[in-house]
Amino acid sequence: MNETLIKELEKTTGKRAKDIGNVLGLLQEGNTVPFIARYRKEMTGGMDEQEIKAISDRFSYLENLEKRKQEVLRRIDEQGFLTAELAQDIKKQTVLNRVEDLYRPFKQKKKTRATEAKRKGLQNLAEFIKSQTSENVETEASRYLTEEVGSEEEAIKGALDIIAEDISDNPKYRAYILKVFKESADLMTKRKKNAEDEQNTFEMYYTYSEPIGKIVPHRILAINRGEELGVLTVKFDYDIERFKRYIGKQTIKEGSATGRYIQTAIEDALKRLIIPSIEREVRQELTEKSERHAVHIFEENLKRLLLQPPLKGHVILGVDPAFRTGCKLAVIDAAGQFLDKDVIYPHPPQSKQDAAKNKLLKMIDEYKVTLLAIGNGTASRETELFISELVQSEDLDVKFIIVNEAGASVYSASEVAREEFPHFNVEERSAVSIARRVQDPLSELVKIDPKAIGVGQYQHDVNQKFLNESLNFVVETSVNQVGVDVNTASHVLLQHVAGLSPAISMNIVKYREENEGFKSRNEIKKVPRLGAKTFEQCVGFLRVAEGKEPLDQTPIHPERYKETYKLISLIGMTESDIGTKELAEALHQVNLEEVAGDLGIGLPTLLDIVDSLKAPTRDIRDEYEVPLLKSDVLKMGDLKKGMKLSGTVRNVTDFGAFVDIGVKQDGLVHISKLTKKFIKHPMEAVSVGDIVDVTVIDIDEGKGRISLSMK
C-alpha cells in the first residue's frame, strides 16, 4: 500500500489514514462497496458508500498521477536535464496538467515551426537574439542563409519561432497566465450569423458575457450544446496586455538591444501557443465541473425516485393511454404477478365510451382492483378525466395515480420485457410496467436504463461513460440499502446485489424455480457457480421471508448470527421475541458498549444488529412520503391564479423544481419561489417524490407553462 498516497488522501478527505488504508485493503481483497459500507464499519470509521467510492476513485487518480510522475522523471533524467529542484517540483504536483507543464520543455515534440527552425540550423541565431547584446540581428542572420533559408527575414522568423516555443514551454509563465485567466477572464457567446434556432432555445446566449468564475454549471452545458449545434460562437475576453507585460519583465533586459524581436516572439507565443492551450484547459475544466454537478443532480433525483415507498397490498390496474390505438390495460395482484390485460377505446377517433366503461368496471370488480395507475404520456389527462368521472358516477372505492412513464417504452422494447412477456405487444408490456412501478418502484425501475427515467438535466451533454458509471452506482447502492427478497426478485434486480453477476443471478432464479424457493440463506450456497466470496458479499442483502431461520429476513449477516443469539439470550429473550415491543424495551436497558466488548464485536455492528432485532423487516423507503393518490381531476383550463394545490415533485434542476399538480403539464417552482430563506440549490428545499403544497402564480396555456410558488 502506498503510504504517501494515503497521507495525501487523509489531507483531502479528512478521513483517518488507518481507515483509508483499511478501505483500500478491503477493496483489493475483492470486497464490494455495499458490503464494506454495511458490514465492515469498524474498519472504515463508518464510511458510507459514497465516501468509500470517493476514496477508491481518488486513489486511482493519484496512483495514475504517480505513475506519470515517475515516467516523466525517468524521461527527463535520460536526457540529462533532471535537477534536484525540478524533481522536487514534479513530485509535489497534485494535478496531471501541471506535471505535463513541467515536462513540456523536455518533451520530444512532433513537427512544429520551432523544430523545423532548429532542423534548419537556426538555434544559435535564436540564442544570439536572446542574449540581447547586439542590434546587428540582420547581419548575424545573414550567416545562416542556406538552400532552405533564403533570406535574413526568413532566418529571423525561424529564430523567433524557437524563442516563442521556449516562452510557451516555461511552466512558470503558464501557471501565472492560468491563474489570472481564471480570476479575471470573461466567457462571451454570440449567435452565429444565419444560425437556425427555431424555438429560440439559446436566446439568452445570443449576446452574453459573464466572468468564468461565476458561471453556474447548467449554463456551461447549455453553451456547449449551443456551440455543438452551430448556433453559438464562444470566446474569452481577457487582458492580453497584462500577459505581455508579465512575460516581458521576465525575459527582456533593461536596455536590451533585441527587445523588439523578443517582444514579437512573446506576442506570437501568447496568441499561437499559450492562450489557445489555456482556453482549452479552462473550457475542459468548466465542462468537467459542470458535468460532475449535472451527474450529481441526476444521482440525487434517481436515488429518491428508486427509494419511493412501494404501495403494498394493492391490486393495481395499469393504463397506458393512447387515442387511435386505444388505452392498454393490465392488472397485477398484490405480489406484482400479471392477472389480465385488455384494451379500451374511450377517445377519438373511435370514442367507444360505453364499451370502455363496461370493460373497466368488469376488470375492477373481477379482480378487486383498489388502485388505477395511469401513464402520463399521450392522452393521459383525457384518460384521467374519463376514469375520474367513472369512479365518481359509479361511486367506486378506488383511487388513481398519475405515473411518470418515462422509460416505460424503453423497457417494453427491451430483451428483459420480451423475456417476461413474450406474447405481449409493446404497449401491453408498458401497461404492466406502469402498474408495477407504482407497486414497487425499485424492482421495476432497475429494469430500465437510468438515463431513460427522465429525472436529469443536460444528460445528453455530459460524458456518457461517467454518467453510466455514476447512475449504476446509485442503482446498486439503493438496491443493497433496501435489500432483496431472494424468492421473488427478478434476475435483473438480483444482479444489482453486491457480488452477483448476471450469470449467477440467472442461476439463482433457475435454482429457485427448480426447488420451489429458498428455505434459508444457507441454501443459497448450493446455487451453481456461487462461491464462498460471492456468498459472503451478497447474502446479507438477500432476504428469506418466513424461512427456517428468523434472522434470514433481517439485514444481519450470517457471520454475526452467533453473536446475535448470544445477545438475545443475554437479555432473557428467545428468537420468537424478535420484532416485539418487549424485546425492544429489553434492548433499551442494555449497556451497548459493555455488551459489544463481551460479544467481541464493534459497537457500530452491534447497533445495526439491535436495530434489526427491533424491526426485522424494516424498509428504509418507509422514511419517504407515499405517492399522492387522487379521486378527482383538473384540467389546465381549471387553474386560476392563487389556487392552492398539492402535488408531487417529478424533477429537480438547478433553476427549480417541476411539480405534478394533476394537469397535463408539470408546473415549475422557480428556485426563488421554493422557500422564504435564501438557498443555493433547489435540492436544499425539495427532492424527487416529495409531496408539496403549492400556489398557482401564473398560467400560460399557449406555451403550456404553469408557474407555482411554495412560499
Side-chain angles (χ1 to χ4, degrees):
M1 195 68 67
N2 191 316
E3 296 300 324
T4 304
L5 298 189
I6 289 176
K7 287 291 183 186
E8 178 65 30
L9 280 169
E10 185 179 35
K11 285 190 289 186
T12 56
T13 65
K15 303 296 182 183
R16 296 186 305 175
K18 179 184 176 182
D19 296 336
I20 293 168
N22 286 339
V23 165
L24 296 172
L26 287 164
L27 289 168
Q28 286 180 357
E29 290 168 9
N31 295 289
T32 61
V33 172
F35 176 82
I36 296 169
R38 174 72 195 188
Y39 299 113
R40 295 295 181 263
K41 291 180 178 179
E42 287 82 7
M43 296 182 69
T44 69
M47 290 186 213
D48 63 23
E49 293 90 345
Q50 289 285 353
E51 291 169 326
I52 293 168
K53 183 175 183 294
I55 284 174
S56 175
D57 291 346
R58 183 62 182 166
F59 183 77
S60 295
Y61 177 85
L62 291 176
E63 212 172 25
N64 291 330
L65 178 64
E66 189 62 28
K67 287 177 184 175
R68 182 56 179 163
K69 286 180 187 178
Q70 295 305 317
E71 177 71 5
V72 165
L73 288 168
R74 181 183 65 79
R75 292 190 176 186
I76 297 174
D77 192 33
E78 286 174 353
Q79 296 175 50
F81 297 121
L82 187 63
T83 63
E85 184 182 2
L86 177 58
Q88 186 61 32
D89 208 6
I90 290 171
K91 287 176 182 177
K92 74 180 183 183
Q93 299 306 318
T94 58
V95 178
L96 183 59
N97 280 346
R98 302 293 73 80
V99 174
E100 298 301 337
D101 282 348
L102 291 167
Y103 179 45
R104 191 184 299 272
F106 312 98
K107 194 172 184 177
Q108 297 301 309
K109 295 178 174 63
K110 296 177 182 178
K111 186 176 179 180
T112 66
R113 281 163 48 172
T115 59
E116 280 297 284
K118 288 175 183 177
R119 185 185 62 77
K120 294 174 182 178
L122 299 172
Q123 178 70 58
N124 287 340
L125 178 58
E127 296 302 325
F128 175 85
I129 296 171
K130 285 164 68 176
S131 71
Q132 307 181 52
T133 56
S134 172
E135 296 180 357
N136 300 321
V137 175
E138 291 189 5
T139 302
E140 180 68 16
S142 65
R143 298 174 52 203
Y144 295 87
L145 301 184
T146 64
E147 289 185 4
E148 286 190 283
V149 183
S151 66
E152 289 84 354
E153 183 181 346
E154 192 175 335
I156 294 170
K157 186 175 182 303
L160 295 185
D161 285 339
I162 295 171
I163 297 171
E165 189 165 274
D166 287 346
I167 291 169
S168 170
D169 286 345
N170 189 307
K172 185 172 77 170
Y173 301 162
R174 283 180 170 266
Y176 171 83
I177 292 168
L178 179 63
K179 179 177 181 294
V180 173
F181 202 95
K182 287 181 177 180
E183 291 172 349
S184 60
D186 290 345
L187 183 74
M188 301 191 307
T189 62
K190 286 187 178 180
R191 183 178 184 174
K192 274 188 176 181
K193 190 175 181 180
N194 301 323
E196 291 186 12
D197 186 17
E198 291 181 6
Q199 297 181 321
N200 292 328
T201 306
F202 303 100
E203 187 174 9
M204 75 167 286
Y205 303 108
Y206 289 170
T207 305
Y208 166 82
S209 177
E210 190 171 3
I212 58 176
K214 293 184 178 180
I215 306 175
V216 293
H218 69 268
R219 286 190 193 145
I220 293 293
L221 296 177
I223 288 167
N224 289 353
R225 184 193 294 175
E227 183 182 37
E228 189 176 339
L229 293 174
V231 177
L232 304 175
T233 58
V234 184
K235 292 181 180 179
F236 287 102
D237 183 34
Y238 49 87
D239 184 0
I240 196 168
E241 296 302 321
R242 181 176 177 181
F243 302 148
K244 289 178 186 177
R245 289 193 299 272
Y246 171 78
I247 298 176
K249 284 181 181 179
Q250 316 295 315
T251 56
I252 302 175
K253 300 173 184 176
E254 189 174 343
S256 168
T258 56
R260 63 188 179 92
Y261 291 102
I262 295 175
Q263 188 64 44
T264 299
I266 290 171
E267 292 174 6
D268 179 44
L270 282 167
K271 291 180 180 177
R272 182 169 58 87
L273 300 171
I274 300 176
I275 296 297
S277 174
I278 295 290
E279 287 183 339
R280 284 193 299 272
E281 182 174 342
V282 170
R283 285 290 300 274
Q284 181 182 5
E285 192 174 303
L286 288 170
T287 296
E288 288 177 355
K289 181 181 177 183
S290 300
E291 286 182 344
R292 286 195 300 271
H293 177 78
V295 170
H296 172 68
I297 300 299
F298 206 145
E299 287 175 334
E300 291 299 312
N301 286 340
L302 177 62
K303 180 182 176 182
R304 285 303 299 263
L305 189 65
L306 292 173
L307 294 180
Q308 282 187 112
L311 289 177
K312 300 172 183 176
H314 282 283
V315 176
I316 303 176
L317 193 157
V319 185
D320 183 15
F323 289 111
R324 183 181 57 80
T325 57
C327 301
K328 310 303 183 294
L329 311 177
V331 182
I332 59 171
D333 66 16
Q337 296 300 308
F338 169 76
L339 297 176
D340 198 3
K341 62 184 175 70
D342 212 325
V343 60
I344 56 176
Y345 300 90
H347 312 307
Q350 299 203 37
S351 299
K352 297 179 179 178
Q353 290 218 347
D354 289 339
K357 287 179 182 178
N358 291 334
K359 277 189 181 181
L360 265 177
L361 289 170
K362 183 175 181 295
M363 292 182 87
I364 291 170
D365 179 61
E366 183 176 348
Y367 297 106
K368 304 296 184 269
V369 171
T370 56
L371 178 64
L372 291 100
I374 306 165
N376 69 340
T378 305
S380 171
R381 296 311 175 192
E382 292 80 359
T383 303
E384 184 186 10
L385 180 60
F386 167 73
I387 286 174
S388 174
E389 290 175 349
L390 178 67
V391 168
Q392 292 175 15
S393 65
E394 299 294 329
D395 195 24
L396 299 176
D397 186 20
V398 295
K399 299 285 186 181
F400 58 86
I401 185 171
I402 299 298
V403 182
N404 185 347
E405 63 178 55
S409 59
V410 174
Y411 159 77
S412 302
S414 70
E415 186 177 337
V416 173
R418 290 194 297 272
E419 181 185 296
E420 283 192 289
F421 304 108
H423 305 300
F424 285 30
N425 64 36
V426 170
E427 291 82 3
E428 289 168 340
R429 293 175 191 147
S430 184
V432 177
S433 181
I434 287 167
R436 283 181 170 175
R437 67 169 61 188
V438 172
Q439 188 178 67
D440 189 348
L442 181 60
S443 295
E444 191 63 21
L445 291 173
V446 294
K447 301 173 186 175
I448 302 167
D449 180 348
K451 296 193 297 296
I453 293 176
V455 289
Q457 62 174 14
Y458 297 100
Q459 65 196 58
H460 302 296
D461 301 304
V462 303
N463 182 295
Q464 293 300 295
K465 183 174 182 289
F466 173 51
L467 178 63
N468 285 331
E469 289 174 353
S470 300
L471 297 185
N472 287 335
F473 179 75
V474 171
V475 174
E476 181 184 88
T477 300
S478 299
V479 168
N480 287 286
Q481 285 179 343
V482 170
V484 169
D485 187 333
V486 71
N487 282 322
T488 60
S490 68
H491 70 85
V492 180
L493 182 60
L494 285 167
Q495 63 189 265
H496 293 288
V497 171
L500 295 184
S501 66
I504 294 177
S505 299
M506 291 290 285
N507 288 348
I508 289 174
V509 172
K510 186 177 179 182
Y511 180 94
R512 182 177 77 199
E513 291 171 350
E514 292 173 350
N515 296 274
E516 298 182 357
F518 292 90
K519 312 301 184 295
S520 70
R521 275 175 167 167
N522 209 43
E523 193 180 349
I524 295 170
K525 292 178 180 178
K526 297 179 181 179
V527 172
R529 295 178 59 193
L530 197 152
K533 188 66 176 180
T534 301
F535 179 80
E536 176 196 51
Q537 297 299 302
C538 74
V539 69
F541 305 107
L542 298 174
R543 313 280 192 265
V544 179
E546 300 177 2
K548 299 175 184 177
E549 167 58 67
L551 296 183
D552 283 354
Q553 65 179 328
T554 74
I556 300 171
H557 198 284
E559 67 184 8
R560 295 300 180 200
Y561 281 6
K562 182 180 176 183
E563 291 85 354
T564 302
Y565 279 118
K566 279 187 180 179
L567 173 62
I568 293 171
S569 176
L570 187 68
I571 60 173
M573 295 284 169
T574 66
E575 64 182 47
S576 62
D577 296 311
I578 293 172
T580 64
K581 183 179 178 183
E582 290 75 19
L583 179 136
E585 289 175 352
L587 287 170
H588 186 65
Q589 306 302 319
V590 170
N591 184 321
L592 294 178
E593 289 188 3
E594 285 184 11
V595 170
D598 293 341
L599 296 176
I601 60 177
L603 183 59
T605 294
L606 180 58
L607 289 169
D608 284 343
I609 289 172
V610 167
D611 287 342
S612 297
L613 290 175
K614 289 179 179 177
T617 59
R618 173 182 171 269
D619 191 328
I620 64 165
R621 295 174 292 180
D622 294 339
E623 298 171 5
Y624 300 112
E625 291 183 277
V626 174
L628 193 64
L629 303 182
K630 302 165 62 180
S631 57
D632 58 357
V633 68
L634 286 171
K635 300 188 296 296
M636 195 165 178
D638 296 333
L639 296 178
K640 291 181 175 57
K641 289 184 182 181
M643 186 178 282
K644 298 184 183 301
L645 301 161
S646 290
T648 304
V649 177
R650 293 298 185 199
N651 197 7
V652 182
T653 67
D654 286 340
F655 49 83
F658 289 93
V659 179
D660 177 359
I661 54 171
V663 300
K664 191 162 190 173
Q665 180 65 41
D666 289 345
L668 173 64
V669 184
H670 190 266
I671 185 172
S672 61
K673 303 294 182 184
L674 281 168
T675 175
K676 290 180 180 178
K677 66 179 183 180
F678 173 77
I679 56 174
K680 291 184 177 180
H681 197 277
M683 281 192 170
E684 295 176 41
V686 291
S687 300
V688 168
D690 284 355
I691 310 299
V692 296
D693 293 324
V694 296
T695 302
V696 179
I697 57 176
D698 193 33
I699 310 118
D700 187 335
E701 287 199 62
K703 292 184 177 179
R705 292 177 182 172
I706 304 163
S707 298
L708 306 171
S709 174
M710 284 173 50
K711 285 186 175 180

